[in-house]
Amino acid sequence: MNIVEKILARASGKSSVAPDDVIFANVDKVMVHDVSGPGVIKVFDKLKKQGISVDKLWDPTKVWVAEDHFVPSAEKVSAENIVKLSNFTKQYGIEKHFKYGMGQYGICHTISHEEAMVMPGEVYVGGDSHTNTTGALGAFACGLGHTDVAYVLLNGKIWFKVPETMYFKLNGKLPDHVMAKDLILKIIGEIGTDGGAYRTMQFGGSGIDEMSVESRLTLCNMTTEAGAKNGIVEPDQKVVDYLSSRGATNFNLVKGDDDAEYSKVFEYEASEMEPTVAKPFSPENISIVREAPNVELDKSYIGSCTGAKYEDLVAAAKILKGRQVKIRTEILPAAISIYKRAMENGLLKIFLDAGVTVGPPTCGACCGAHMGVLAKDEICISTTNRNFPGRMGHVESQTYLASPLVAAASAVTGKITDPRDL
C-alpha cells in the first residue's frame, strides 16, 4: 500500500484497503473557522429541532478553531459570527481557539503547522477546501462541508472512498529563482483543474527531499486547485525537526511500501523549471513569466496560506531589500508567529522601507471579502491560490498567480517580472 492507503487502513481498523473501497474512518483532528463554524452551528440547530442530541462533542481535545477569513471583522455579520464561534467553543469545552487580537492566530492552514496541530499519519479534516495543505506533514488531510464536519464533531468518524494516487516525482533541487509555487502551477497547467478529481496527489523524488517543509506545504495547498481529494508528502526528518521545534512529540512516520501502486506517475526535472504565472481566469492557464503578457499591474499581494509562510516572506525580502515598489503592494504574514519572526529578523523594516503596507494575518483579500479587494479592471499579481472571475474582488478584475519571488519582483517594476531580470 501507499502512504494514504496505510493511513486509511489504520483509521478504519482494516489490514489493507485499495482504491474505490468505501470505509468508515476514525478522525484524529478536526478544524473549523469563522466561516465553516457558523455553518456547522446551523447544522447543529437543525439536528436539535429533529430531536437529535448535540449536547456534547466526541472529543473536544481533538477539535481546534481558527479565526481567519473575516478578521479583522469586515462588517456586522462577520463580527456576529466571531461571537457565535466564541460561544460555541465555550459551550463545548474547545480550548484550542486561536482568537484574533489575543496572541497567536492566523490562517487555519498555517496554524495547523505553526502550532503542530496535526501530526504525521493522522486523519485530519477541516471545514475548508485548502485543508489539503497539511498533507505536507505526512497526514491524510482534506476539506469537508458543514454537514460532514458536524457529523465528525459528534461521532469522531466519517466515510471516505479510498482515492487512487497520482505520483509526482521531482528530480534534483529547484534553482534559486524557482519556488514550489512555480512547480505546482506547472503541474496544474499540465493536468488541469480537474486532473486530480477525487484522487490523491503525492509528491516525491530527490527534489521533494531537498525541499523545506514550507515549500512542500505550498505544493499540497494547491492540490485543491487540481480538484484533488488530498495532497501528501511522505514524512522525513525535516518534518520531525519542524514539528519538534514547535513542541510536538510521539511521531508516527507512515511511509508507503516499495511496491505500492500509483494510477499515474509524472516526472519533472528541477533544472528545467521556470518562474511561472497563472493568467486569468484559471490556475491552469499558465505561462512562463518571461512570456507573460506585458500588462501594467495595479497591485502586488503577498499573503494567504499559499504564499505568506516565513520562507515566502524571506524570498520577498531578498527582492525588496534596497528597492522601492512601483505599485500598491501589501504583505500579510499568514500567522502572528510568522509576523513576529519577520519583525525580529528585520523583514518588516525591509518591507516598510520599500514602501510596502504590512497587514495582519487574514484570508480577506484572497477570498475577495475585505482587506484589499480589487476594483473593476484592476490587475493584481498575487501569491494566493485562485484567480477565477471575482475571486479577489470585482468580477471584472484580473489576478495573476505567482510565487513570492515573482510577486515581489513585479511590485518593483509594475509589470510581471522574472526575478532574474531585476
Side-chain angles (χ1 to χ4, degrees), residues 72-90:
S73 298
E75 27 60 44
K76 287 182 285 187
V77 173
S78 58
E80 289 165 0
N81 280 339
I82 294 297
V83 173
K84 287 180 183 178
L85 208 56
S86 292
N87 291 338
F88 181 79
T89 57
K90 286 178 185 175

Side-chain angles (χ1 to χ4, degrees), residues 10 24 53 97 150 198 202 225 258 268 353 367 378 417:
R10 186 271 306 168
F24 234 70
S53 174
H97 185 171
Y198 209 97
Q202 181 177 336
E225 277 61 57
D258 291 339
Y268 301 89
D353 288 348
C367 63
E378 279 197 305
T417 301

Side-chain angles (χ1 to χ4, degrees), residues 35-110:
V35 176
S36 59
V40 169
I41 292 168
K42 286 183 179 180
V43 176
F44 274 30
D45 290 340
K46 288 180 181 178
L47 292 174
K48 280 192 282 188
K49 289 177 182 178
Q50 296 169 16
I52 298 172
S53 174
V54 294
D55 291 341
K56 63 179 182 178
L57 305 186
W58 116 92
D59 189 344
T61 66
K62 295 184 177 181
V63 182
W64 60 280
V65 177
E67 297 177 4
D68 56 10
H69 277 65
F70 288 85
V71 294
S73 298
E75 27 60 44
K76 287 182 285 187
V77 173
S78 58
E80 289 165 0
N81 280 339
I82 294 297
V83 173
K84 287 180 183 178
L85 208 56
S86 292
N87 291 338
F88 181 79
T89 57
K90 286 178 185 175
Q91 178 182 351
Y92 289 102
I94 300 168
E95 296 183 358
K96 298 167 186 171
H97 185 171
F98 298 93
K99 295 185 176 185
Y100 167 77
M102 294 184 67
Q104 172 70 315
Y105 90 96
I107 299 171
C108 56
H109 313 303
T110 307

